[in-house]
Amino acid sequence: MSFLLSPDPLSARRLFLDQTGLVLSGAAVALLAGRPALAARSGEQGAGDAQILNTALGAELEAVAAYQVGAESKLLQKPVLALATEFQSHHKAHAELLARTIEKLGGRPVAAKAHYSFPVDQLKSQEDVLRFAARLEQGAVSAYLGAVPLFHQRDLAKA
């Protein structure tokens, strides 16, 4: 896959998503459109913003765990494994930034779950792992696109 030859990580991620042929869905947006949106509209803007960020943090922590599953699957060739661990490091950095931002807002960052229900029994090839990762990335992008308009403090979109 040509995304492995991309010169920078962000371009590699975009190419990866483009070449998997995935179309963004609204599933993750629906997740964010519930309680956080209501809290932000009801005058609890700071709490609503922290809750939106906590939802994003939960998604980042899930992505870190998912990439760990992929890395430990022994199904990835070395260049793909290197890219997967790089993507995982991006999610770790996002999670750290989100946690710090939530704390600055006076909130309490969510913790990673002890167990995630990943379809590990369906991961039988490198292609399966890549499809799994692509679906996670698709959900993350959808979640962020849905979250940004919900912020009371627009600057939080930078986090």
Side-chain angles (χ1 to χ4, degrees):
M1 298 186 121
S2 62
F3 67 86
L4 295 174
L5 304 175
S6 182
D8 70 271
L10 293 177
S11 294
R13 181 175 263 169
R14 283 187 203 104
L15 282 171
F16 171 72
L17 292 172
D18 290 345
Q19 291 184 6
T20 59
L22 293 173
V23 178
L24 293 179
S25 74
V29 175
L31 174 69
L32 287 171
R35 289 182 111 171
L38 293 173
R41 290 187 187 123
S42 69
E44 300 173 13
Q45 289 93 359
D49 286 350
Q51 191 171 7
I52 292 167
L53 291 173
N54 253 328
T55 301
L57 174 56
E60 292 292 350
L61 295 171
E62 182 177 19
V64 169
Y67 275 102
Q68 193 63 40
V69 166
E72 293 174 356
S73 72
K74 301 192 187 317
L75 296 171
L76 302 179
Q77 297 170 4
K78 281 191 179 198
V80 176
L81 177 60
L83 188 60
T85 55
E86 185 172 339
F87 283 7
Q88 182 188 44
S89 72
H90 297 167
H91 286 288
K92 286 179 181 177
H94 295 159
E96 290 169 7
L97 175 60
L98 289 168
R100 285 193 309 269
T101 305
I102 291 163
E103 288 172 345
K104 286 179 185 174
L105 290 172
R108 183 174 175 201
V110 297
K113 292 182 181 180
H115 176 74
Y116 292 95
S117 296
F118 297 132
V120 292
D121 58 323
Q122 297 174 16
L123 303 178
K124 300 184 186 322
S125 69
Q126 176 172 281
E127 211 171 280
D128 293 339
V129 175
L130 293 175
R131 276 194 204 95
F132 172 57
R135 283 191 303 270
L136 287 171
E137 293 293 343
Q138 173 189 9
V141 169
S142 293
Y144 280 109
L145 289 174
V148 169
L150 301 177
F151 286 126
H152 177 261
Q153 296 177 44
R154 295 292 178 194
D155 284 350
L156 292 173
K158 296 173 185 174

